[in-house]
Amino acid sequence: MSEQVSRSHPPEVSAVMFYDPKTHYDADATDLSYDSPLHMKMRMPEKILYEKHPVMFDAHPVGYLLLLFLIPVLGLGLLVLLLWWLQCMALKVTVTNKRVIVREGILSKRTNEVYHAHIRNIRVSQPVVQRLADVGKVEIASAGSATYEISVEDLPDVQEIQKIVDRYRR
């Protein structure tokens, strides 16, 4: 004799716990209804919303033009421009809908990331010349640190970084 399973009602789930490591939130199965914020966050794929390297000319136009002027003088300007360009290309800031990631280095790599849910402060600073060029400095502090964990200068569209983080950290 085979056992017949009733398909009219879903089985009751009780005392089943789910742990979301990204939010450090323990939820029981009743919190995971299809439209709950936790359920939506768990199944939301990570998308890149901002990905840039620091810029050279927009951040420091006078220094850039001075180095161009120094190229005929023993190639000194060219050497400094090349080193400056390598330094800019070695650093990349990526902002997704879940976290901010800073990757540094060419030969050896260093990565620092902070989840939006853990960000307690974001500071954007733009001196007058950089504000005209829409370039600035971004500093991000998480709840687990007394200082700024991420600090990157000469980034384009810094206001966009702040808008993305503010939108997704709630």
Side-chain angles (χ1 to χ4, degrees), residues 74-123:
L74 302 173
L76 180 65
L78 186 62
L79 178 65
V80 174
L81 276 174
L82 179 65
L83 291 174
W84 188 10
W85 179 79
L86 283 173
Q87 185 180 17
C88 287
M89 291 298 107
L91 191 134
K92 181 168 48 170
V93 175
T94 305
V95 181
T96 70
N97 55 342
K98 295 184 179 193
R99 58 193 170 143
V100 177
I101 308 157
V102 176
R103 290 186 178 89
E104 295 179 77
I106 294 175
L107 297 177
S108 62
K109 297 282 188 179
R110 209 171 13 168
T111 302
N112 190 5
E113 62 183 60
V114 177
Y115 283 94
H116 295 316
H118 300 160
I119 293 175
R120 78 175 156 82
N121 187 23
I122 180 166
R123 180 192 299 180

Side-chain angles (χ1 to χ4, degrees), residues 3 5 12 22 24-25 28 48 61 69 92 126 163:
E3 196 173 309
V5 177
E12 290 289 325
K22 294 177 182 156
H24 300 290
Y25 178 70
D28 62 23
I48 295 174
F69 179 72
K92 181 168 48 170
Q126 294 177 293
K163 286 178 189 174

